[in-house]
Amino acid sequence: MSDVTRRTFLRRTGLIGGGLLAAPVLGACGGGTGGGPAVTSGAVTINLWTHDPNITKTFIQSAKQLSDAPGGAFDYTLKTTQADSEALVTKMVSQGAAGTGTPDMIGIVISVFPRVMAGGIGKQLLLDLDSVVAPVKDDLLRTSPYSIDGKLYGLETDTCLSVLYYREDEFKKNDIPEDVGTWEELAEIGARLHKKTGQSLGIVATGDNTSITNMFLQLLLQRGGGYFDQSGNLTLDSPEAVEVLDFMAKGVASGFLLALPDPYGAPNTAALKNGKLIAAVMPSWYNVYGLQTNVPEQKGKWRMRNLPKFAGGGHIASALGGTGFAVLKDKPNTAAATELLKRTYLTKEGQFLRFQHGGYLPTLKSLYQDKDFLGYEDEYLGGQRLFDIYTPASQDSPVFYQNPNLNVLIEALGGPMLETLQGKKKPAEAIKEAVAAYNSKKGN
């Protein structure tokens, strides 16, 4: 990776936080941020902004294939800019206010998307994709995180399905069943394991607020809870939230879960390398960017499975992270950029290309039954057929509802949650404190 380190890429692929920067007033300039007539055919240079080098490679190859296709309207050249997602969105908003210099396409990390939900920014700058996705609307996954007032403004790059990664060799060595049915059973096994060997079967984060709340959100969604409902109402104050936080706190106390300041940093890598951490709930991208990158020597020892269920109910999967790709509207290249996005994100060819380049899982439901995906075997995971796991997970994965005040909630929740994980506060007390702080900070 060039100007983005692998570690920061990992963090940015997750729900990274950050304050809501003041957005320049777009005023009446709207989305018309580039003069000239609309390009309807022939040579076109697409200005593409993204934080992700692998998605850049994907778009470059997709553009070439689209240019070479018989009857194609456009001959594409891509001009790419790679930087932190929040910085790119800040620049896009600033350029939008100036009325010039915006990209034709931009990738917006899921945690940064609330930036464009506020103040009508997304509606003014980004193309409403409802008509673009209409032919596959019922087949498309993960649209809610990139929707504003019921309209879709970004296409998800990866379904980011969360699974349980585990060391098959260590599970056999310690007589841990690979098919434990519930989290509660696995927690009991994990506590006994830690007492005996010092090993753990999962992690919680104790560093920055985003990392702390990410691990909680992943399990909360699986349990059937969430931060917000479809209408944007806060739903954090729930029995599910208290239960999940209590589960995590007890897991830390027993040693079942390992507390680390950074779930992707050096301490985590050390725990993987020395065999102290032998299982973890992580999204699909963790296989490539976490395990294969940090512990290549453990190739063939790891496997993955669907998540154990909570005894009280919920799903067999969860999700964490994601990036929505958007097209800037009312620009000369808007039509050409839309065609490139459609080809790369709404066709089997484009989705398989993304899977090959970065391990991005399909965002079309039907492709979880496609033979080219079903037959894929992962050498690092001992030749495991990944879609034996991902296909049922895709059918029972929770919905994450976005909200312009997401980062306000993360800041309100991080502190009380950390105190709970440290045994200083009861889970119910922490949730109520976070809800009160959120309501106060957002002005209720």
Side-chain angles (χ1 to χ4, degrees), residues 128-252:
D128 170 2
L129 297 172
D130 280 3
S131 62
V132 176
V133 305
V136 296
K137 180 180 178 182
D138 294 337
D139 199 27
L140 194 59
L141 294 164
R142 293 201 96 196
T143 57
S144 61
Y146 309 103
S147 295
I148 305 173
D149 294 337
K151 299 287 187 181
L152 182 63
Y153 290 92
L155 297 187
E156 177 61 276
T157 301
D158 183 355
T159 47
C160 303
L161 291 168
S162 297
V163 297
L164 179 69
Y165 294 98
Y166 64 96
R167 284 276 299 269
E168 184 188 46
D169 57 332
E170 290 290 340
F171 268 43
K172 286 182 177 176
K173 175 182 175 182
N174 292 287
D175 295 322
I176 302 173
E178 297 179 35
D179 59 349
V180 175
T182 68
W183 275 119
E184 289 79 1
E185 293 175 79
L186 191 61
E188 292 180 6
I189 293 170
R192 291 197 297 270
L193 174 73
H194 184 77
K195 188 175 183 179
K196 177 182 176 184
T197 68
Q199 295 170 303
S200 297
L201 300 180
I203 56 177
V204 299
T206 56
D208 62 86
N209 287 338
T210 301
S211 295
I212 294 170
T213 55
N214 273 351
M215 308 311 287
F216 168 72
L217 176 61
Q218 196 171 207
L219 290 177
L220 178 62
L221 290 172
Q222 191 211 349
R223 176 62 184 87
Y227 286 167
F228 303 97
D229 64 18
Q230 191 170 6
S231 300
N233 301 308
L234 186 69
T235 59
L236 178 64
D237 192 3
S238 67
E240 289 83 5
V242 174
E243 177 187 331
V244 169
L245 186 51
D246 183 57
F247 173 80
M248 294 172 66
K250 288 178 178 174
V252 173

Side-chain angles (χ1 to χ4, degrees), residues 40 59 80 96 113 115 134 189 262 292 347 377 394 428:
T40 57
F59 270 113
T80 61
F113 195 80
R115 292 273 315 278
I189 293 170
D262 183 343
Q292 294 186 33
T347 67
E377 297 178 351
S394 71

Side-chain angles (χ1 to χ4, degrees), residues 127-444:
L127 182 69
D128 170 2
L129 297 172
D130 280 3
S131 62
V132 176
V133 305
V136 296
K137 180 180 178 182
D138 294 337
D139 199 27
L140 194 59
L141 294 164
R142 293 201 96 196
T143 57
S144 61
Y146 309 103
S147 295
I148 305 173
D149 294 337
K151 299 287 187 181
L152 182 63
Y153 290 92
L155 297 187
E156 177 61 276
T157 301
D158 183 355
T159 47
C160 303
L161 291 168
S162 297
V163 297
L164 179 69
Y165 294 98
Y166 64 96
R167 284 276 299 269
E168 184 188 46
D169 57 332
E170 290 290 340
F171 268 43
K172 286 182 177 176
K173 175 182 175 182
N174 292 287
D175 295 322
I176 302 173
E178 297 179 35
D179 59 349
V180 175
T182 68
W183 275 119
E184 289 79 1
E185 293 175 79
L186 191 61
E188 292 180 6
I189 293 170
R192 291 197 297 270
L193 174 73
H194 184 77
K195 188 175 183 179
K196 177 182 176 184
T197 68
Q199 295 170 303
S200 297
L201 300 180
I203 56 177
V204 299
T206 56
D208 62 86
N209 287 338
T210 301
S211 295
I212 294 170
T213 55
N214 273 351
M215 308 311 287
F216 168 72
L217 176 61
Q218 196 171 207
L219 290 177
L220 178 62
L221 290 172
Q222 191 211 349
R223 176 62 184 87
Y227 286 167
F228 303 97
D229 64 18
Q230 191 170 6
S231 300
N233 301 308
L234 186 69
T235 59
L236 178 64
D237 192 3
S238 67
E240 289 83 5
V242 174
E243 177 187 331
V244 169
L245 186 51
D246 183 57
F247 173 80
M248 294 172 66
K250 288 178 178 174
V252 173
S254 72
F256 159 55
L257 300 176
L258 178 63
L260 295 171
D262 183 343
Y264 312 118
N268 181 65
T269 300
L272 292 172
K273 284 186 175 295
N274 63 27
K276 189 173 183 179
L277 180 64
I278 61 170
V281 178
M282 281 289 179
S284 48
W285 43 262
Y286 188 72
N287 176 20
V288 173
Y289 298 106
L291 296 176
Q292 294 186 33
T293 299
N294 294 319
V295 282
E297 70 277 11
Q298 294 178 7
K299 178 181 179 180
K301 295 181 178 180
W302 286 88
R303 300 289 186 274
M304 70 176 195
R305 52 157 287 181
N306 289 128
L307 302 180
K309 294 189 75 170
F310 283 95
H315 306 271
I316 64 168
S318 189
L320 184 66
T323 299
F325 243 91
V327 171
L328 277 288
K329 71 177 183 180
D330 301 336
K331 298 193 66 178
N333 294 343
T334 295
T338 304
E339 283 303 306
L340 179 58
L341 183 67
K342 285 170 60 179
R343 198 273 176 191
T344 312
Y345 277 63
L346 299 178
T347 67
K348 174 188 170 181
E349 293 76 16
Q351 300 232 348
F352 198 65
L353 195 62
R354 288 179 9 224
F355 180 67
Q356 289 175 311
H357 274 298
Y360 309 108
L361 294 183
T363 53
L364 293 173
K365 298 175 194 173
S366 54
L367 293 182
Y368 286 85
Q369 304 292 342
D370 184 274
K371 62 179 178 57
D372 289 334
F373 287 94
L374 290 172
Y376 184 82
E377 297 178 351
D378 189 299
E379 291 185 9
Y380 185 85
L381 298 178
Q384 188 173 10
R385 284 164 50 101
L386 301 186
F387 285 81
D388 288 350
I389 309 301
Y390 288 140
T391 296
S394 71
Q395 297 165 349
D396 188 21
S397 182
V399 176
F400 171 71
Y401 293 111
Q402 189 64 273
N403 189 283
N405 293 312
L406 173 63
N407 288 320
V408 176
L409 180 61
I410 289 172
E411 294 305 311
L413 184 57
M417 181 168 292
L418 178 60
E419 289 185 276
T420 304
L421 295 176
Q422 294 171 335
K424 301 175 181 176
K425 186 165 288 184
K426 294 186 180 300
E429 182 185 352
I431 296 298
K432 290 195 178 298
E433 182 178 324
V435 170
Y438 169 80
N439 286 330
S440 174
K441 290 178 181 177
K442 81 177 188 69
N444 281 354

